[in-house]
Amino acid sequence: MGANKLREDLSALCSLPAALEAMGERWSFLILRGSFNGLHHFEEFQSELGIARNILANRLGRLVGHGILERAPCADDRRKVIYHLTDKGFALMPTMIALRQWGERWETGVPASPILVDARDGQPIRQIEVLSHDGRVLHKHDLHWALPEDVQAAQAAE
């Protein structure tokens, strides 16, 4: 297969632009972080993040629209709304952790606080790594792009 065909398929079928469109920008990531940390009410997000109310309303609406958060009436006060992560939203957790770890290493140079730990034993989580199908840690020289038909051919050859 030619490199041009691979480039065409990467630009046409790559899901990264769709993911970036769903998440939007900085505020969406900070709202998501707040959700992971137990924020549920508009006022909690606004107070914790210091975000303008109109921007917060827009970003919450976008995250709800993309199925990342769900909106429901508050059980003890039906006039209030609560926001919860959906399964789709929670699936962004590894991405958020990877970005945070990247920021610690390459941007701030210091460990973030608070530290994310395993609830079972209180130990810090490991660095996010790219793993092979059999669990080996992969590095940049171990990776390349392949088209689905090439992957299927490799699997059939095993």
Side-chain angles (χ1 to χ4, degrees), residues 87-101:
D87 289 342
K88 180 179 179 179
F90 191 76
L92 285 163
M93 177 67 97
T95 303
M96 298 292 291
I97 294 168
L99 281 170
R100 186 176 195 233
Q101 290 173 348

Side-chain angles (χ1 to χ4, degrees), residues 59-79:
R59 298 316 183 271
L60 286 169
R62 174 188 215 111
L63 293 169
V64 168
H66 281 281
I68 294 168
L69 292 176
E70 63 185 4
R71 179 188 161 132
C74 186
D76 57 344
D77 184 350
R78 309 277 300 160
R79 294 171 297 168

Side-chain angles (χ1 to χ4, degrees), residues 29-45:
F29 283 98
L30 295 176
I31 291 166
L32 189 59
R33 180 190 66 183
S35 255
F36 288 136
N37 291 326
L39 301 183
H40 298 291
H41 299 281
F42 185 97
E43 293 76 20
E44 292 174 326
F45 287 111

Side-chain angles (χ1 to χ4, degrees), residues 33 36-37 93 97 100-101 104 110-119 121-127:
R33 180 190 66 183
F36 288 136
N37 291 326
M93 177 67 97
I97 294 168
R100 186 176 195 233
Q101 290 173 348
E104 289 173 350
V110 296
S113 181
I115 298 168
L116 189 59
V117 300
D118 182 334
D121 59 18
Q123 294 299 309
I125 64 165
R126 292 176 57 180
Q127 290 290 308

Side-chain angles (χ1 to χ4, degrees), residues 14-29 58-68 88 92:
C14 181
S15 56
L16 184 59
L20 292 173
E21 177 64 27
M23 283 304 297
E25 44 60 77
R26 174 182 188 262
W27 287 118
S28 296
F29 283 98
N58 176 280
R59 298 316 183 271
L60 286 169
R62 174 188 215 111
L63 293 169
V64 168
H66 281 281
I68 294 168
K88 180 179 179 179
L92 285 163

